[in-house]
Amino acid sequence: MPVIKVIGLGPGAVESITLGTMNILKNASRIYLRTAKHPTVKYLKDEKIQFETYDDMYENAQNFDDVYEKIAEDLVNKEQKFKNIVYAVPGHPLVAEKSVKLLIELCKNSSIDIDIVPAVSFVDAIFESLKIDMIQGIKIIDAFDIKTQILDKRTGIIITQVYNKFIASDVKLQLMEYY
């Protein structure tokens, strides 16, 4: 049965890439990165790992949702053409990675197995940096969804996808209204 391996490149430090991930990358014939704009990509190049990226899709799309849909569709097409491909994303594939969520659905509908390989996420790096235990409670919110979320003063909040001043301003206004 066809299978797409989905791996995470960790939060940015080379030390965060797992041995399993490196073994997969070194033995794969077709590797697709969501983006080359990630600190570990230089390391992959130094290790002579060949890959293609989807960076050009960001320049031609109206929004991220369109980009992620096109990436997922392209990966399914590439799997049907080449077999047993690898898709690599920043962080952990199941943490704030919409392209993987869409890919899982498409694979289910296309009878393609998807193998999610565990990785270190940016959430792990945050907990390490802040020296807190996640058991104390945390809510992770996508900045694009903040208006539809129920915030809770009893837990910490991590807000993702705050990548420009406009989004930061919108998040700030929502948080001011809540608090």
Side-chain angles (χ1 to χ4, degrees):
M1 178 175 241
V3 64
I4 297 176
K5 279 195 185 297
V6 182
I7 61 173
L9 298 175
V14 172
E15 299 79 23
S16 297
I17 298 177
T18 67
L19 290 173
T21 292
M22 285 308 297
N23 285 334
I24 290 167
L25 289 170
K26 288 180 177 179
N27 294 301
S29 58
R30 299 238 179 225
I31 301 167
Y32 303 93
L33 273 58
R34 180 172 61 76
T35 182
K37 294 175 181 167
H38 189 268
T40 59
V41 172
K42 181 188 178 313
Y43 175 69
L44 299 183
K45 289 177 181 176
D46 292 345
E47 291 293 309
K48 308 287 189 261
I49 294 171
Q50 300 292 312
F51 56 82
E52 296 176 40
T53 76
Y54 286 104
D55 286 325
D56 59 326
M57 284 193 179
Y58 288 90
E59 296 166 18
N60 302 321
Q62 295 290 84
N63 57 53
F64 284 146
D65 288 339
D66 290 345
V67 172
Y68 300 145
E69 278 184 44
K70 288 178 183 169
I71 289 172
E73 290 168 1
D74 188 61
L75 287 165
V76 167
N77 291 334
K78 283 187 167 58
E79 171 55 33
Q80 291 168 342
K81 183 176 179 181
F82 301 118
K83 307 292 181 227
N84 300 319
I85 65 171
V86 174
Y87 177 50
V89 297
H92 189 294
L94 296 175
V95 178
E97 190 56 56
K98 194 164 191 174
S99 67
V100 174
K101 182 180 176 183
L102 294 168
L103 180 61
I104 290 169
E105 286 302 311
L106 275 179
C107 284
K108 202 181 297 181
N109 297 334
S110 302
S111 299
I112 296 172
D113 276 346
I114 188 162
D115 182 12
I116 307 285
V117 179
V120 178
S121 79
F122 73 93
V123 176
D124 298 301
I126 289 171
F127 289 129
E128 177 187 340
S129 178
L130 296 175
K131 310 275 187 275
I132 59 174
D133 185 348
M134 70 176 73
I135 199 77
Q136 295 169 327
I138 196 79
K139 183 169 186 165
I140 302 171
I141 299 173
D142 187 310
F144 293 106
D145 297 330
I146 195 165
K147 292 178 183 175
T148 63
Q149 293 293 315
I150 297 171
L151 301 178
D152 184 348
K153 295 175 186 168
R154 298 170 295 169
T155 64
I157 299 174
I158 297 172
I159 302 172
T160 66
Q161 302 292 343
V162 183
Y163 58 85
N164 66 30
K165 290 179 183 180
F166 176 76
I167 294 170
S169 175
D170 192 41
V171 167
K172 178 184 101 172
L173 293 173
Q174 291 299 317
L175 291 174
M176 285 175 56
E177 186 175 311
Y178 177 73
Y179 289 108

